[in-house]
Amino acid sequence: MGRSQATAHPDVVIVGAGIAGLATAWRLCLGGMKVTILDPNPARAATWTAAGMLAPVTELAYGEAHHLALTMKAAERWPSFAEELEAAAEHSIGFQTCGTLYAALDAGDATELKRLQAFHGTLGLESSILTATETRDLEPLLSPTVRSALIAPGDHQVDNRLAGAALITAVERAGVHIEHAFVTALDGGASWSAGRDNLSLPGFSKSGGFVSEAPRIRVRTDDGSFEAPIVIICAGSWSPLIAGIPDPARPAVRPVRGESLRLGPGSGESLAAARQPLVSHNVRALVHGRPIYLVPRATGEIVIGATSDERGYGTGVLAGGVRQLLDDAREVVPGIDELELIDTSAGLRPATPDNLPLLGPTVMPGLLLATGYWRNGILLAPLMADMLASYLLAGEQCPQEYSPERFSTPAGSL
Ligand code: GLY
């Protein structure tokens, strides 16, 4: 499909080219839809700041056991998605089946990991506790003060920055038009009113399949506008800020800021020995009760994350965040002192009231959401893209538990 055709008469406009929007665009385009995706900085924001852990076990929080069915399925989807993406982009995305080792620094941390392992046991998840010796046999460069660890062999990783770059290449090769534009508002579109009957798509035939002769929603940008019968909001934490979304369809997400750091071997000869990663697993740790993770890349780089706070939409990197991450990381792996600080960034996790995603149609005909992936944006994106594609291309309903309708409120009440 030619680029100009996708630009002039897209079937779908996607707002946001993070991993959620790019993966969705790719699946829809491969399914035969004409897709335009709008974002001033594709594959940046949270997709850029993330560490790329694919970790349904060690990312699971107490009280979130109902997330597991989704996150485990999402993790199963990754190996074939990675293979297909690497073939499409013709470069590696650093998918590694490395497992996670979760270390405890003091007695309280060790007790907490035992409690966590018991929680995993009640859910049938694969994890076990290692002694200090067993831990250092697996990761010799962990600090001698590490007391014990939990190992979760099924938690893996991908290099999220390579994956974002690969998705840009893959979607462009498939015929998606990427417009580097900032979306300001939705305009007009079909009339809407609250109620389940409106959770349907203009342009979607009851027998399945998409018919593009349908009312169009206009998406205004800082530089013009685009129209399509289907608009999908994949703008992460920024999703609710787009003007013109009727209140009952407005995405129920809020930003939870997180800083991450990238450390790596320097270019100087004296540091050449450090090109081997200091650790071989995703390393998480409790450092006197504070959680931290160190995610090693094959290049010798280590991603350290992440802080967590709610301060609105600011993405400046705070000195205190960097200091805390470095202090805690060097308690776990002292050798990081020999690495160079390559990069600092802050991103916004899109959190929903129940920490589950928002996926599928809204009460505004033609407007869909694919956002609210919370701490699991990289993990969830391929599976959620498949679900949306099945809905739009084959009429399979998106799972009701992720329906944006669950937070739909009457007009004017938000
Ligand atoms: N998934 C890692 C984080 O949210 O920091």
Side-chain angles (χ1 to χ4, degrees):
M1 180 195 314
R3 180 182 165 116
S4 57
Q5 196 189 355
T7 312
H9 299 292
D11 298 320
V12 181
V13 166
I14 294 179
V15 179
I19 194 165
L22 288 166
T24 302
W26 194 34
R27 296 342 276 182
L28 294 180
C29 192
L30 293 181
M33 287 181 139
K34 290 174 282 180
V35 182
T36 290
I37 185 164
L38 309 175
D39 195 316
N41 295 302
R44 301 292 291 207
T47 297
W48 186 252
T49 299
M53 284 182 294
L54 307 172
V57 176
T58 54
E59 197 72 60
L60 183 70
Y62 295 111
E64 293 188 348
H66 60 296
H67 293 196
L68 259 185
L70 176 68
T71 54
M72 293 300 274
K73 199 168 166 192
E76 281 166 25
R77 179 66 180 96
W78 256 99
S80 59
F81 182 83
E83 194 179 351
E84 193 184 351
L85 182 54
E86 288 185 342
E90 297 179 281
H91 68 76
S92 168
I93 60 167
F95 175 74
Q96 291 184 49
T97 53
C98 52
T100 294
L101 188 140
Y102 202 153
L105 264 289
D106 65 25
D109 299 334
T111 302
E112 180 50 34
L113 287 191
K114 276 192 190 158
R115 186 168 161 248
L116 189 61
Q117 199 280 324
F119 176 55
H120 293 162
T122 64
L123 299 168
L125 296 173
E126 192 181 359
S127 72
S128 51
I129 295 290
L130 305 177
T131 63
T133 307
E134 289 167 337
T135 303
R136 264 185 296 283
D137 283 349
L138 283 181
E139 291 290 1
L141 296 184
L142 289 191
S143 163
T145 56
V146 166
R147 298 175 71 105
S148 65
L150 175 153
I151 182 111
D155 278 4
H156 303 316
Q157 65 146 305
V158 67
D159 185 324
N160 45 294
R161 293 186 177 180
L162 290 178
L167 275 165
I168 291 173
T169 303
V171 300
E172 287 187 325
R173 287 182 175 175
V176 171
H177 172 60
I178 300 180
E179 182 78 15
H180 294 253
F182 178 76
V183 170
T184 55
L186 303 186
D187 211 27
S191 61
W192 63 274
S193 61
R196 282 193 57 82
D197 291 349
N198 289 310
L199 299 179
S200 61
L201 290 171
F204 190 79
S205 79
K206 285 202 179 344
S207 56
F210 180 74
V211 184
S212 64
E213 298 308 317
R216 291 176 169 260
I217 297 173
R218 177 174 297 157
V219 182
R220 292 189 185 278
T221 73
D222 50 358
D223 192 31
S225 67
F226 292 78
E227 287 186 7
I230 304 295
V231 172
I232 308 175
I233 307 283
C234 298
S237 293
W238 285 271
S239 300
L241 302 187
I242 299 164
I245 302 177
D247 278 353
R250 191 165 294 284
V253 295
R254 67 178 202 285
V256 178
R257 206 179 70 99
E259 281 141 339
S260 70
L261 316 175
R262 271 145 174 94
L263 274 53
S267 48
E269 276 178 29
S270 60
L271 293 178
R275 285 187 190 285
Q276 291 299 320
L278 293 173
V279 290
S280 57
H281 297 77
N282 299 334
V283 170
R284 303 182 86 113
L286 283 176
V287 181
H288 317 303
R290 287 185 303 277
I292 191 158
Y293 49 79
L294 300 93
V295 181
R297 305 292 194 222
T299 54
E301 191 175 309
I302 292 190
V303 185
I304 297 176
T307 57
S308 188
D309 57 52
E310 301 199 29
R311 299 170 185 255
Y313 282 86
T315 53
V317 175
L318 299 183
V322 175
R323 181 193 53 73
Q324 187 70 67
L325 290 173
L326 287 175
D327 281 352
D328 288 347
R330 74 191 288 277
E331 277 214 46
V332 185
V333 182
I336 65 159
D337 275 357
E338 299 303 317
L339 299 178
E340 286 184 11
L341 179 58
I342 299 171
D343 180 78
T344 62
S345 76
L348 302 174
R349 307 173 182 92
T352 62
D354 60 5
N355 292 345
L356 284 171
L358 299 169
L359 189 83
T362 68
V363 294
M364 180 176 178
L367 181 69
L368 284 80
L369 305 183
T371 184
Y373 297 0
W374 178 220
R375 289 182 170 276
N376 290 307
I378 308 296
L379 174 67
L380 294 183
L383 179 67
M384 303 315 258
D386 285 352
M387 287 178 177
L388 262 196
S390 298
Y391 176 58
L392 287 171
L393 298 167
E396 287 173 27
Q397 291 302 309
C398 294
Q400 193 58 34
E401 60 264 48
Y402 317 132
S403 169
E405 186 199 14
R406 71 192 190 279
F407 301 121
S408 192
T409 50
S413 69
L414 282 179

